Structures are given as C-alpha cells and as structure tokens.
Amino acid sequence: MEWEFYILDFIHKYLSNPVMDVIMKFVSFLGTFGIIWIAITIILLCTKKYRLLGRSLTINLVVNLVACNLVIKPIVARLRPFEFNQSINLLVSAPTDSSFPSGHTLFAFAAATIIFIYNKKVGLLMYLFACIMAFSRLYLYVHFPTDVAFGAVLGIILAITSHMLEKAIFKPKSE
C-alpha cells in the first residue's frame, strides 16, 4: 500500500492547482450516481437510431451496479486513502461507501467499452474520458491506484459480459 500513497501524494503535491481542482471535481461529479451514464442511456433509448446502444448501456449499468456496488464493495470493504491520511483536505464530500473498486472508473470504462462496440470513434473518445474520470479519483484522493486499475479492468470485462448476455437474451430476428 505504501507505493499507492507515493502515487497519490505525488499527484497531490506536484499536480494540484486551482484549475485542475475545478476540472477534476467536475469530471468526478459527472460520474456520481452514474449521472452521465444514465443521462446518455436515456437519450439513446429515446432515439430510434441508437436505441440498441441504449438498451446495451441499460443492461450494462444494471450488471455493473449489482457487481460493483452490491457485491464487491461490501465484501472487500476497503477504507479510502483519505481515511488513512487525514491531513488531506478533500475537495469533494467524503464518499461513504468502500474504496474498492472505483465505481466511477468501472462505470466509465464499461460505458466506453459498450459504446466502442457500436461506434469505434466515439468509443475511443469515451475511453479518453474514462481515463480522465479514473485520474480524477486519484487526484481527489478518494481512491487508491489499485481501486482505479481494477475498476477499469472489471468495467471492460463486465461490459463485454453484459453485451454477450444481451445478445443471448435478444437474439437477432434473422436467426
């Protein structure tokens, strides 16, 4: 765990500045309660052209919610970095759930993966956004690097799994 604090403290000491504070708080806010992913999903579900993508994202959100927030977080129950290093002045309200895995990161990488499956160019942009979201969680000192790394990997795995589940449930009409 010492190396994880080294990374967090490096970010806090050398990368913190007022502009980044505003940007990282905003990016992180977008992931709170899945706000951005729910909004995107609703918009896609309301458009005929992108309804299948919206359906995929809906299934993905449910799978992620169950796996991350209802199963893994309660089982692991890892404390957050600021709970160990109480000298940190948080820029955001202290999250009350456990740290592992980073839900913000998991949902961002899962959504990026689903979008990538349907649209490579937009998906790549979403992966970039997912990386910024992941970094914001480190910058804000609310997650350890392993929380974020596992969140990214698990998000991708769950997205592929939920996409395969969707294909099994909603078989194409041509079959």
Side-chain angles (χ1 to χ4, degrees), residues 16-30:
S16 289
N17 65 68
V19 173
M20 286 289 286
D21 290 355
V22 170
I23 294 169
M24 293 297 108
K25 283 174 24 180
F26 178 71
V27 168
S28 190
F29 166 77
L30 291 175

Side-chain angles (χ1 to χ4, degrees), residues 5-169:
F5 279 110
Y6 177 80
I7 291 170
L8 291 172
D9 292 339
F10 178 88
I11 292 168
H12 185 73
K13 184 175 182 179
Y14 295 107
L15 301 179
S16 289
N17 65 68
V19 173
M20 286 289 286
D21 290 355
V22 170
I23 294 169
M24 293 297 108
K25 283 174 24 180
F26 178 71
V27 168
S28 190
F29 166 77
L30 291 175
T32 303
F33 303 117
I35 291 170
I36 191 167
W37 313 121
I38 293 169
I40 289 171
T41 300
I42 291 170
I43 291 167
L44 293 171
L45 286 170
C46 291
T47 61
K48 188 174 182 177
K49 182 176 180 182
Y50 299 107
R51 194 161 292 136
L52 290 178
L53 173 55
R55 181 178 71 193
S56 253
L57 283 172
T58 301
I59 293 167
N60 185 43
L61 286 171
V62 171
V63 168
N64 292 339
L65 177 68
V66 171
C68 180
N69 294 59
L70 301 179
V71 177
I72 300 171
K73 279 185 180 258
I75 290 172
V76 176
R78 184 180 195 186
L79 294 176
R80 291 179 177 268
F82 65 83
E83 294 176 290
F84 290 98
N85 183 354
Q86 297 180 353
S87 68
I88 296 296
N89 291 321
L90 289 180
L91 298 173
V92 294
S93 299
T96 56
D97 60 346
S98 63
S99 187
F100 186 87
S102 167
H104 281 68
T105 304
L106 185 143
F107 281 89
F109 274 88
T113 302
I114 293 293
I115 293 168
F116 183 81
I117 289 168
Y118 286 86
N119 185 315
K120 305 294 184 249
K121 288 181 185 177
V122 176
L124 288 175
L125 288 174
M126 294 309 291
Y127 275 124
L128 175 61
F129 179 75
C131 289
I132 295 168
M133 175 77 69
F135 180 75
S136 79
R137 305 309 283 164
L138 300 174
Y139 184 91
L140 296 171
Y141 220 91
V142 293
H143 280 291
F144 290 102
T146 50
D147 301 338
V148 169
F150 189 80
V153 171
L154 185 60
I156 292 167
I157 291 168
L158 288 175
I160 293 167
T161 303
S162 68
H163 184 67
M164 291 176 3
L165 175 66
E166 177 196 13
K167 293 296 179 196
I169 294 171

